[in-house]
Amino acid sequence: MESPNQSAAQEFIFSAFPYSWGSSVTCFIPLLFIYTFIVIGNLVIITVVQLNAPLHTPMYFFIGTLSFLEIWYTTATIPKMLASLLGEKTISLNGCLLQMYFFHSTGISEVCLLTAMAFDRYLAICSPLHYPTIMTPRLCATLTLGCCVCGFITPLPEIAWISTLPFCGSNRLEHIFCDFLPVLRLACTDTQAIVMIWVVDTVHAVEIITAVMLIFMSYVGIVAVILRIRSAEGRRKAFSTCVSHITVFLLFFGSVALMYLRFSATYSLFWDTAIALAFAVLSPFFNPIIYSLRNKEMKEAIKKHLGQAKIFFHKTEDLK
């Protein structure tokens, strides 16, 4: 129940951002660089995959889809962070709910897609003869669609439930973007909020543990097959196709687990912010680097198109 001297909060104030102009600018510049790099890097990967016929394989189809999701995953939070650093540090209740929905829907879609990519690597290494007939373009599209449907449906009940809660009293959100637990802490109804926090924790735990177990089982099978390969070169080549995926998986799931598998444990505002930046900003920043610099075919394709672009600009200058 709302007390007479409380009014329903229609907007939240992000209290984790620095308030001094110097500190805000110091944070704004690297964050802007990182976001620009994420968008351009992932657009380059999507373009290169689309323009190169040798890259029209299931693995690169999934990488291109992951890059597409990464752009929207970061766009759900980083532009608002940038605006909050230099301007108003507020967000409306509806804007907060929308930000939570798109951040978690694209994030869950990525989790599902990383699981599908592990399944793809398992089939490619453990059943190489049957791989082309199993992992068809139709199956790739079906898996991708399933990942997105799962991602965009899963957060809906949580968002719908939170939208019914009354928010009164303090509207200071101790975070750098809207997320379930910081928002729920501002709800007026203690009993409902506690139940909701438990439900949210349980849902996140089931999502993360299920994905981790499926990926782990895929790699158990992959490692078992790789160890049976007699030549060292054969083992190296087989394992090299999985390195990028394993790196992205560990980077993303490690920080996500710290944030969403803590249950009753609480962190200081500093550590909450650091962990949030790890999976919302740093992990997407490293992904284009991992998938381009750690991938020989991708590097060669990017070099080829950079060379073609250079020749085109030289010809344009000569015509002038």
Side-chain angles (χ1 to χ4, degrees):
M1 292 278 300
E2 283 182 41
S3 60
N5 64 344
Q6 288 176 324
S7 58
Q10 293 301 312
E11 67 176 20
F12 298 117
I13 300 170
F14 294 114
S15 62
F17 289 108
Y19 279 83
S20 71
W21 178 254
S23 298
S24 294
V25 172
T26 302
C27 295
F28 177 87
I29 293 170
L31 187 60
L32 178 63
F33 169 78
I34 288 170
Y35 179 61
T36 305
F37 178 84
I38 289 168
V39 173
I40 294 173
N42 283 300
L43 284 174
V44 166
I45 289 173
I46 293 167
T47 306
V48 167
V49 169
Q50 288 295 316
L51 294 179
N52 285 269
L55 300 184
H56 292 174
T57 63
M59 184 176 80
Y60 289 105
F61 173 80
F62 288 130
I63 289 173
T65 306
L66 184 67
S67 293
F68 177 77
L69 287 171
E70 287 277 64
I71 292 171
W72 294 109
Y73 174 72
T74 51
T75 300
T77 56
I78 297 181
K80 183 59 183 174
M81 289 186 212
L82 291 168
S84 297
L85 281 167
L86 295 187
E88 289 285 325
K89 294 170 173 53
T90 60
I91 187 169
S92 68
L93 176 59
N94 289 335
C96 191
L97 293 171
L98 279 172
Q99 186 182 66
M100 280 194 293
Y101 174 69
F102 284 108
F103 177 70
H104 282 276
S105 59
T106 50
I108 294 168
S109 298
E110 283 192 32
V111 168
C112 295
L113 193 65
L114 285 168
T115 308
M117 290 169 77
F119 174 65
D120 171 68
R121 290 299 83 210
Y122 172 81
L123 284 177
I125 292 170
C126 300
S127 301
L129 297 177
H130 298 102
Y131 177 71
T133 56
I134 297 173
M135 193 58 73
T136 59
R138 183 175 180 177
L139 180 59
C140 290
T142 303
L143 286 171
T144 301
L145 181 62
C147 291
C148 293
V149 169
C150 177
F152 281 82
I153 287 178
T154 303
L156 275 177
E158 295 168 276
I159 298 295
W161 193 355
I162 292 172
S163 69
T164 65
L165 295 175
F167 293 94
C168 50
S170 175
N171 65 343
R172 297 182 69 81
L173 194 68
E174 294 190 340
H175 211 44
I176 50 175
F177 56 84
C178 289
D179 206 356
F180 291 126
L181 296 184
V183 170
L184 284 170
R185 291 190 190 110
L186 300 180
C188 299
T189 50
D190 292 339
T191 306
Q192 255 189 301
I194 290 167
V195 171
M196 189 60 190
I197 288 170
W198 183 85
V199 170
V200 168
D201 279 343
T202 304
V203 169
H204 286 152
V206 170
E207 290 168 356
I208 295 165
I209 292 170
T210 301
V212 169
M213 288 305 296
L214 289 171
I215 292 171
F216 177 75
M217 287 188 291
S218 296
Y219 276 105
V220 167
I222 288 169
V223 170
V225 170
I226 289 175
L227 291 176
R228 288 201 297 267
I229 299 173
R230 293 182 179 180
S231 70
E233 179 61 23
R235 288 195 297 270
R236 188 200 62 78
K237 191 174 180 181
F239 186 71
S240 67
T241 64
C242 305
V243 170
S244 296
H245 179 264
I246 293 172
T247 307
V248 170
F249 161 71
L250 292 173
L251 189 64
F252 182 69
F253 275 82
S255 51
V256 164
L258 281 173
M259 180 61 80
Y260 296 112
L261 291 182
R262 55 180 167 175
F263 295 101
S264 59
T266 56
Y267 302 138
S268 67
L269 179 59
F270 172 81
W271 285 112
D272 259 346
T273 305
I275 295 167
L277 284 171
F279 69 81
V281 178
L282 293 181
S283 177
F285 172 72
F286 287 115
N287 285 359
I289 299 171
I290 292 165
Y291 278 120
S292 56
L293 297 182
R294 294 284 305 176
N295 190 300
K296 186 181 177 183
E297 290 174 315
M298 186 69 76
K299 276 195 292 186
E300 287 176 355
I302 291 171
K303 283 179 184 177
K304 172 188 163 187
H305 286 287
L306 286 174
Q308 289 173 344
K310 200 177 287 184
I311 291 168
F312 173 78
F313 284 120
H314 281 315
K315 285 183 178 178
T316 307
E317 288 176 6
D318 291 340
L319 287 172
K320 288 179 182 178

